[in-house]
Structure formats: C-alpha cells, structure tokens
C-alpha cells in the first residue's frame, strides 16, 4: 500500500474524482500502481507558482506539474483578474508558443479558456519567439498575453509566461494578485474550458514583417552592414523558434551569407542533438561552433527554444573559435551601442542602460565612462521591462540585459530579445571588421581600458521537495554564518536582498536596499570582488555567481591574467559552496 503525506493523499484523491478526464486519472493510477511515492509527492506537494519567469514545471499529472488543469486554472485566474482590472472593456490577449512538446496544444487550451471568458484572443497560428509575443501585445493593444515555453529547460519541462499590457511579464502587484485569483479557484468546474471560436483571431506571418521592419529602424551602422554584407554568419535555433525569424531578420538587415546549422534547424521538442537546449551550455553550442570552424565564419550565433537568449562563438587571436559568456556578450553590446551613439552625437534625451544585480560591473564602468546613467534590477528580465515602463518617455532606454544570455537593444519589446540581439551582434561584427578588428580584439581593448573581469557561474541542481528544502537550508545557513573572508580575501560588505539590507562587516552599520525583496545574498570583498548566491526562480537550482577584476596592462598577458583570475574565483567559490 502506497504511503503518502495526508495532505498530498487528499490532493491525489481529488484528482481521481469524476471532474478530471480519463487520461489524467489513468496516468495517476499508473503512478499509484507502480508505487511511485517520490514522483507522487513531487507532483502534488505544492501548486505551481509564478516565479521570475512565470509558471514552469515538468509536464505530467498533479498540481505541481504542467498539464491541462494547472494551465487551465492559471488562465482562468488570469482571466478573472483581467476582468476586474478592465471592467466594461473588450479585453484582448495575445497567445503564442514555442517548439516544446505540447506547447501548441497548451496554447490552444489557453486561447479556449480566454475565449470562453469573453476575451478576444490573438492566437499565433504557428510557433513564434517570445519577443515577438511581447511585441504583438503592444502592437494589437492587448491587456495581457501568454507565451507557452519553458525557455532553455530540459525537454521534460514546459511553462507559461504571463504578460501585462506593456508587453512585460507580470510584476508586482499583478503577479501576486493573479496568484490570489488562481488560488481562489477551488474546483475545476470554475474553469471555462469550452472554447468560443468567435473570440479567437488567427495571427499569421504578417506580424513578422512588422517586427522585422521596426527592428531594422534601430540599426546604428547600416553602412558597415552594406560594406560587410558577405559577412559569414552561422546560425542555429537549437530546434526552436529562432528559425522562424532570425534568418529573415538578418537578411532584411542586409546580411547575405547566413549559414543554418541543418542538424538543429527543424523545431523539435525532444531536442535530439542536445541535453539542455541552452546556449549557455558548451554542448548546446557544439554543432554551431563546428559549423563555424568548417566554413571559417566571422560569427556563430545560437538561440534557445523560445529565442529570447543567444550565445555566440568568435575567433580568438590564434584563429580558434571561442565561446563568450553572457557577461562578455552583454558588455560588447553595451560598449558598441554607447560608443556608436556618442560618435553619432546621439547620447541625448536622458539615455540609460540597465543590468541586473548579478551581471558584471564592467557594464556599469562602460556606462560611467560615457556619462550614461545605469540602473540595477533584480534578476529576471521582467524587472528591466518594469523599469522601462516606469521611466516611459521621460528617458531613453538604449541597451540592457542579464548575464544569462538575455539582451535587448532599443525599446520595441519589454523582454529579452534574441533576434534583436542577433542583428546587433552581426552589425557589431561587421562594423569592427570594417575597422580592421575582430570582436575578440575589441573585448581585449575593453578589458585594457576598463579592467579585466573574470566571471563564473556554478549551478547546483536540487530536484523535488527534498531539493527545495535543501536549497532553503543552504540560504538559511549562509545568513546565519556570514563569511568574514572568501579565498583569504576579506569580505567588507554583505547585501541581503531578502531583508533589504546592506551590512558593513567592519562597523556593523546597515543601509536599506531600495529594491523589491528577493532571496539573494551578495558578498563584496576588499578587492571589489562579488559573489552572489541565489535560488533560481524557474529551475530546481541554487546558483552561485562570482566576479573578479584586475588591471590588464598589456594584451599579450591576457591569457596568463585570465588563469590567475580563474584560480582566484575557484578559491573564493570553494569557501562558499
């Protein structure tokens, strides 16, 4: 006889009731018959909640899984909230989906529930990138939108990104209020599953052309693109939505020599060539990098399944292809945009740059150099989008992003935008090539001028209920035992974003951190190094970020300095993990 926690057993019994369809009950009975206690516990011990990236989880039966009922409940809760927020209005939402297994089915389900609630739905008739969904919300004048995707997670996952009328993912108070509405649904009979087809409008490729032309207007150096139109660019969508827009955008921008990685060109939710469809992972970039070597490319690009993140490979001074990390890519973009705008005398109308608290301070150094204000937000691009909406027309957003390979140039959308970033990375490569420089050489120039930064991210995966409890315990232990030094380097300040306080370790003085609460700890050393500890909001992981800096006097010593900094990072990480 299977033994479950009383509360979990009650939930299981509820899901075996007559309200649920036969397919769901059959799958649940199979878990019970096979004595899958751990799986049942993980599937029912909590309800899926909106994190930094919305609703995300493993597909399957249960309240903590992505399925018809959890998605239906989330959509009904969102619909209920929209009707309260926009009374006596014809509410409109946009719905899109990526290449993941069940994404299209879930997208139709979401459209059905909205339509049954009298809401007008702009439903994409084919998979499209997340940033195109964000763009469509504003283009169609929608009050909300939903993207069905689990971004770069493994194939077992799917997700539900909910957006507000500015094209930004839900932020406070809307995210919390939607959760309240979702939790107020006590019975699935309250979910209106019966579609009203009259309320569903099909969105075809016409939106692509509008998105592409609006992006093209952002080009900073079209003359460099024209000069380097034969620039050899390798692109892989890693079995995702990037194939629907990136090649077309690059062509419209003026690039005539885009080479697709055929093995990863077809959208496929099983991601057959990779374990993690994440351009942060070396394995996910391997085929694109190999193709780059074969054709002697100038630039290698790869986007994740919903095309909001992009990774790149470039040739180093030895002619070997090298992957850049997210901080390096973002820093190149910030430098390119600000230096080009200054050159063209376009740094006016209160320009600004945004980065997250775990993104390299190199970007802040670059912004300061060009006398452009920069803002820091919590991790999660929704906070960057929220800031863009808050500042509105009073200031001009230029560029920003996250170390996790998410960037945005210009303000067409309110989310990270890989197609947009691909176009600017290609233009940047063309511009510097026309000046006789590679991106690698430009990166070294930046390091020599602003300081050589070395960053490392360590992610520890802790799955299920036990994993969540372990992550919570790790953060509690860190708060209870604040390290006085890391790698034998004194810690001078601790920033606790959960408690909104920055602590001076020498004096004990405390300052208020003026950001929303978030379960993040940062340790700043006397050398200016930064180590951050943060449980992921979208994956069963705890992440540790480390950033160190040194002076690069001569570019010929870069590799040697890099090794020294890497060893320093490892010593510091060893004291905290």
């Amino acid at each position: 006889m299977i033994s479950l926690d009383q509360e979990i057993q009650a939930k299981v019994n509820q899901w075996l009731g007559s309200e649920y369809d036969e397919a769901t009950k059959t799958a649940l009975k199979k878990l019970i018959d096979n004595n899958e206690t751990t799986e049942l516990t993980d599937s029912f011990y909590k309800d899926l909640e909106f994190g930094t990236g919305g609703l995300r989880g493993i597909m399957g039966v249960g309240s903590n899984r992505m399925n018809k009922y959890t998605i239906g409940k989330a959509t009904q809760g969102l619909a209920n909230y929209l009707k309260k927020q926009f009374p006596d209005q014809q509410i409109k939402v946009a719905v899109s989906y990526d290449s993941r297994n069940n994404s299209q089915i879930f997208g139709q389900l979401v459209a059905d529930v909205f339509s049954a609630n009298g809401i007008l739905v702009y439903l994409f008739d084919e998979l499209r990138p997340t940033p195109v969904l964000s763009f469509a919300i504003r283009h169609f004048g929608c009050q909300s939108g939903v993207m069905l995707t689990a971004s770069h997670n493994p194939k077992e996952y799917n997700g539900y990104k909910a957006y507000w009328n500015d094209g930004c993912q839900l932020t406070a108070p809307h995210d919390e209020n939607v959760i309240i509405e979702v939790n107020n649904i006590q019975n699935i009979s309250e979910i209106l599953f019966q579609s009203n087809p009259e309320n569903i409008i099909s969105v075809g490729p016409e939106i692509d052309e509008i998105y592409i032309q609006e992006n093209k207007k952002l080009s900073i150096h079209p003359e460099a693109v024209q000069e380097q139109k034969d620039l050899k660019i390798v692109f892989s969508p890693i079995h995702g939505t990037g194939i629907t827009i990136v090649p077309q955008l690059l062509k419209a921008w003026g690039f005539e020599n885009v080479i697709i990685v055929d093995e990863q060109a077809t959208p496929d939710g099983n991601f057959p060539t990779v374990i993690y469809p994440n351009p942060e992972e070396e394995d996910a970039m391997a085929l694109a990098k190999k193709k780059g070597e074969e054709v002697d490319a100038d630039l290698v690009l790869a986007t994740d399944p919903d095309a909001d993140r992009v990774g790149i490979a470039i040739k180093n001074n030895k002619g070997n292809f090298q992957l850049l990390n997210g901080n390096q890519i973002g820093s190149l973009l910030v430098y390119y945009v600000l230096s080009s705008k200054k050159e063209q005398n376009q740094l006016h109308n209160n320009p600004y740059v945004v980065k997250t608290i775990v993104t390299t301070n190199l970007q802040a150094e670059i912004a300061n150099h060009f006398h452009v204000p920069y803002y820091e937000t919590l991790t999660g691009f929704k906070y960057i989008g929220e800031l863009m909406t808050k500042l509105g027309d009073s200031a001009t957003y230029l560029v920003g992003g996250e170390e996790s390979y998410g960037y945005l140039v210009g303000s067409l959308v309110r989310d990270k935008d890989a197609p947009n970033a691909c176009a600017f990375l290609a233009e940047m490569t063309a511009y510097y090539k026309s000046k006789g420089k590679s991106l690698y050489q430009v990166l070294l120039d930046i390091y020599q001028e602003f300081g050589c930064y070395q960053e490392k991210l360590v992610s520890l995966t802790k799955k299920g209920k036990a994993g969540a409890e372990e992550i919570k315990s790790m953060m509690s232990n860190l708060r209870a035992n604040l390290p006085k030094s890391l790698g034998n380097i004194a810690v001078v300040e601790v920033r606790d974003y959960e408690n909104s306080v920055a602590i001076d370790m020498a004096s004990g003085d405390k300052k208020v951190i003026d950001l929303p609460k978030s379960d993040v700890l940062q340790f700043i050393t006397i050398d200016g190094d930064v180590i951050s500890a943060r449980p992921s909001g979208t994956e069963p992981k705890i992440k540790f970020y480390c950033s160190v800096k040194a002076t690069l006097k001569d570019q010929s010593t870069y590799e040697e300095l890099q090794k020294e900094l890497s060893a320093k990072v490892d010593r510091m990480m060893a004291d905290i993990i």
Side-chain angles (χ1 to χ4, degrees):
M1 185 70 179
I2 195 163
S3 177
L4 293 171
D5 174 271
Q6 189 174 350
E7 192 174 328
I8 291 171
Q9 185 64 61
K11 276 190 176 181
V12 170
N13 292 341
Q14 183 183 4
W15 279 61
L16 288 170
S18 59
E19 300 94 342
Y20 292 81
D21 63 31
E22 288 304 316
T24 296
K25 288 187 282 187
T26 299
L28 185 50
K29 286 172 184 174
K30 187 176 179 182
L31 291 177
I32 295 168
D33 292 342
N34 291 339
N35 218 24
E36 300 274 4
T37 307
T38 301
E39 177 62 24
L40 284 164
T41 299
D42 291 345
S43 297
F44 286 96
Y45 82 94
K46 67 173 185 176
D47 293 345
L48 279 179
E49 296 176 356
F50 285 97
T52 57
L55 197 69
R56 194 176 300 187
I58 294 170
M59 289 178 279
V61 294
S63 62
N64 189 36
R65 293 289 187 255
M66 290 292 293
N67 53 59
K68 172 182 177 180
Y69 299 102
T70 53
I71 291 170
K73 188 176 178 181
T75 306
Q76 186 63 54
L78 177 54
N80 291 347
Y81 184 64
L82 287 167
K83 286 190 276 190
K84 288 180 180 178
Q85 289 293 301
F86 303 100
D88 306 318
Q89 290 186 41
Q90 174 58 70
I91 300 168
K92 298 184 286 186
V93 301
V95 178
S96 188
Y97 49 89
D98 70 1
S99 61
R100 286 183 176 272
N101 295 330
N102 297 314
S103 279
Q104 185 171 10
I105 294 168
F106 290 158
Q108 184 65 56
L109 171 70
V110 169
D112 290 345
V113 174
F114 277 135
S115 72
N117 279 273
I119 292 171
L120 198 62
V121 185
Y122 290 92
L123 175 64
F124 280 73
D125 56 18
E126 291 182 332
L127 74 171
R128 282 297 182 273
T130 289
V132 177
L133 183 275
S134 176
F135 178 81
I137 290 168
R138 300 174 75 202
H139 175 73
F140 290 121
C142 297
Q143 284 85 358
S144 183
V146 173
M147 179 73 190
L148 282 304
T149 177
S151 190
H152 57 286
N153 281 52
K155 64 182 180 181
E156 296 82 12
Y157 284 76
N158 214 315
Y160 181 109
K161 292 182 180 178
Y163 290 77
W164 203 239
N165 59 6
D166 56 355
C168 176
Q169 288 184 52
L170 294 184
T171 55
H174 305 305
D175 53 356
E176 295 161 7
N177 290 340
V178 170
I179 290 170
I180 291 170
E181 290 291 343
V182 173
N183 292 338
N184 282 341
I185 297 171
Q186 298 299 312
N187 194 293
I188 62 167
S189 62
E190 298 173 51
I191 304 170
L192 305 183
F193 283 113
Q194 190 59 49
S195 173
N196 182 352
E198 291 182 3
N199 287 336
I200 300 177
I201 299 169
S202 178
V203 178
E206 64 278 359
I207 193 73
D208 301 349
E209 188 59 28
I210 299 168
Y211 168 85
I212 286 169
Q213 291 307 317
E214 288 300 311
N215 262 288
K216 191 179 175 184
K217 292 176 186 175
L218 300 174
S219 174
I220 301 173
H221 285 293
E223 77 289 346
V225 175
Q226 182 59 32
E227 184 183 330
Q228 302 291 335
K229 62 185 180 182
D230 291 328
L231 194 79
K232 227 176 260 186
I233 302 168
V234 166
F235 171 66
S236 170
I238 316 183
H239 307 291
T241 61
I243 195 66
T244 68
I245 208 90
V246 174
Q248 296 89 320
L249 180 57
L250 291 172
K251 183 179 179 181
W253 211 271
F255 295 103
E256 299 177 359
N257 196 6
V258 179
I259 301 145
I260 309 297
V261 179
D262 290 335
E263 302 95 318
Q264 296 179 323
T266 304
D268 188 338
N270 291 316
F271 310 115
T273 64
V274 296
I275 298 172
Y276 298 102
N278 183 357
E280 291 183 71
E281 301 282 342
E282 200 166 326
D283 287 348
M285 295 289 295
L287 283 175
K289 185 179 170 187
K290 181 184 175 186
K291 177 64 75 174
E293 292 165 349
E294 287 174 3
V295 303
D296 192 29
D298 294 287
L299 177 66
V300 174
L301 302 163
T303 54
D304 69 341
D306 68 323
D308 62 355
R309 300 173 190 240
V310 57
I312 76 170
I314 59 175
K315 277 188 282 190
N316 60 25
N317 286 344
K318 295 178 182 177
N320 299 321
F321 274 90
Q322 179 176 321
L323 300 178
L324 297 190
N325 65 40
N327 284 306
Q328 292 171 322
I329 299 168
S331 298
L332 280 166
L333 280 169
V334 170
Y335 183 81
Y336 171 68
V337 172
L338 297 193
S339 60
S340 297
K341 293 285 187 184
K342 182 181 180 183
E343 180 187 301
Q344 297 175 353
N345 194 29
Q346 289 183 4
L347 287 179
H348 43 68
N349 296 328
N350 299 321
Y352 66 97
V353 169
V354 193
K355 74 179 199 69
T356 69
I357 58 174
V358 297
T359 301
T360 179
N361 285 326
L362 174 56
Q363 292 170 23
E365 297 276 0
I366 294 169
N368 287 334
H369 172 78
F370 289 103
H371 306 292
V372 172
Y374 76 92
Y375 293 88
E376 281 194 329
T377 70
L378 294 177
T379 306
F381 212 95
K382 68 178 186 176
Y383 296 111
I384 297 178
E386 180 183 41
L387 178 66
M388 292 168 69
T389 297
K390 179 182 175 183
L391 293 175
D393 295 334
S394 68
T396 303
Y397 170 87
L398 293 180
V399 59
E402 303 180 288
E403 54 72 41
S404 54
Y405 294 64
Y407 319 102
L408 175 66
V409 182
S411 57
L412 286 180
V413 305
R414 294 290 184 272
D415 209 341
K416 48 188 179 282
D417 188 338
N420 163 277
C422 284
F424 273 98
L425 289 165
E427 180 180 286
M428 177 169 64
T429 305
Y431 174 74
Y432 288 119
K433 188 175 183 181
S434 71
K435 302 288 185 185
K437 284 196 169 187
S438 69
L439 284 192
Y440 187 81
Q441 289 165 335
V442 175
L443 183 63
L444 294 191
D445 289 345
I446 291 170
Y447 282 158
Q448 192 166 9
E449 183 171 2
F450 300 103
C452 185
Y453 282 75
Q454 179 82 13
E455 283 94 16
K456 184 175 183 178
L457 167 64
V458 175
S459 294
L460 304 180
T461 299
K462 307 286 182 180
K463 293 183 178 180
K465 183 182 180 184
E469 290 170 350
E470 188 178 350
I471 288 171
K472 188 175 180 181
S473 176
M474 290 172 77
M475 293 299 291
S476 296
N477 288 338
L478 272 175
R479 285 190 170 88
N481 303 284
L482 297 176
K484 293 183 172 61
S485 67
L486 292 166
N488 294 319
I489 302 165
V491 173
V492 295
E493 183 181 346
V494 175
R495 296 173 188 167
D496 185 343
Y497 291 87
E498 180 70 27
N499 294 306
S500 303
V501 64
I503 307 164
D504 185 307
M505 294 294 279
S507 66
D509 291 345
K510 296 180 179 180
K511 292 180 181 177
V512 174
I513 295 174
D514 188 22
L515 282 174
K517 291 182 183 296
S518 183
D519 191 10
V520 181
L521 282 170
Q522 278 189 331
F523 306 95
I524 293 88
T525 74
I526 198 166
D527 290 350
D529 312 312
V530 182
I531 283 193
S532 308
R534 181 184 78 89
S536 172
T538 57
E539 300 172 90
K541 291 180 177 180
I542 182 168
K543 297 184 176 183
F544 296 90
Y545 310 76
C546 186
S547 176
V548 300
K549 173 190 174 185
T551 301
L552 179 62
K553 294 178 181 177
D554 191 305
Q555 292 187 15
S556 64
T557 64
Y558 170 62
E559 289 186 17
E560 183 182 337
L561 180 60
Q562 197 179 32
K563 288 176 184 174
E564 291 174 13
L565 291 176
S566 185
K568 181 181 181 181
V569 167
D570 289 342
R571 288 194 301 271
M572 294 174 70
M573 286 290 214
D575 281 351
I576 200 167
I577 298 177

